[in-house]
Amino acid sequence: IKPFIDEPHYLKAKKLLNELEDSPTLIHGDFHIKNVMIQNGEPLLIDMDTVSVGNQVFEFGSSYISYVGYNVPDPGNTERFFGIKSEDAIKIYEEQIRRSFPNVSKEKLEDIRMRIQATGCIRMVYFCFYYKENEAITNYNLKNFYEALDKIDGLAI
């Protein structure tokens, strides 16, 4: 992402990524409602090409991309891709965060949201510039990347 962002934010992002400890946690990398199917009454994850191990913040960052990063600057995006309304995509994302961190204070939950936002936006900023994504999506994610990065002191959640 270095060519696409200012130097201070690049240096901070690099520092925070380097400080993030390795984790043996299994992460899907593209977890959203279209990648969960039901087979014989049981949920089944599909689209496994991005499965790896790593810090859980990357999994939540992936959800941020799906439900917020593409959705907010292009509200019809989730209807076209998921078949759900924009506000429902936001509700899914917020519920995922709320249920994943049920016993934390409002302040801590906001810090977690910012760490997730920064992590998701790191990926989106690269993707937007590299693949020449539309300007609204690019600008929204760049702004949110800077905003989140300015508020956090680490990425681990």
Side-chain angles (χ1 to χ4, degrees):
I1 64 169
K2 185 176 184 177
F4 312 122
I5 63 175
D6 65 44
E7 186 74 8
H9 286 101
Y10 168 75
L11 292 172
K12 184 170 183 180
K14 183 177 177 181
K15 176 183 178 291
L16 296 183
L17 285 166
N18 285 334
E19 289 174 355
L20 194 59
E21 292 184 22
D22 289 337
S23 171
T25 304
L26 181 69
I27 57 175
H28 183 273
D30 193 20
F31 185 71
H32 55 69
I33 59 176
K34 281 188 81 171
N35 284 337
V36 180
M37 308 292 284
I38 303 297
Q39 181 178 26
N40 300 324
E42 296 288 328
L44 174 72
L45 284 174
I46 63 166
D47 194 11
M48 305 295 277
D49 61 312
T50 54
V51 168
S52 62
V53 294
N55 192 287
Q56 66 179 340
V57 73
F58 293 112
E59 193 71 69
F60 287 103
S62 171
S63 289
Y64 175 88
I65 291 168
S66 297
Y67 298 120
V68 180
Y70 276 114
N71 175 34
V72 174
D74 180 13
N77 190 292
T78 56
E79 285 199 49
R80 291 188 303 274
F81 188 72
F82 294 127
I84 62 173
K85 294 178 182 174
S86 176
E87 58 269 17
D88 291 334
I90 299 291
K91 286 178 187 175
I92 289 169
Y93 174 74
E94 287 299 324
E95 188 66 12
Q96 178 187 14
I97 301 303
R98 190 184 67 73
R99 288 180 182 234
S100 297
F101 305 97
N103 300 316
V104 300
S105 69
K106 280 184 160 182
E107 295 79 19
K108 179 64 178 168
L109 193 58
E110 183 59 24
D111 182 62
I112 290 169
R113 279 192 177 96
M114 288 295 104
R115 291 165 188 252
I116 291 168
Q117 179 176 310
T119 305
C121 287
I122 287 171
R123 189 169 163 191
M124 279 300 293
V125 165
Y126 171 78
F127 184 85
C128 285
F129 282 101
Y130 187 81
Y131 291 104
K132 312 237 184 300
E133 190 61 67
N134 84 45
E135 193 172 336
I137 293 173
T138 302
N139 291 339
Y140 175 82
N141 284 284
L142 185 59
K143 177 182 91 41
N144 283 350
F145 173 65
Y146 288 156
E147 172 193 57
L149 206 58
D150 289 342
K151 292 181 179 178
I152 61 172
D153 61 2
L155 292 174
I157 53 177

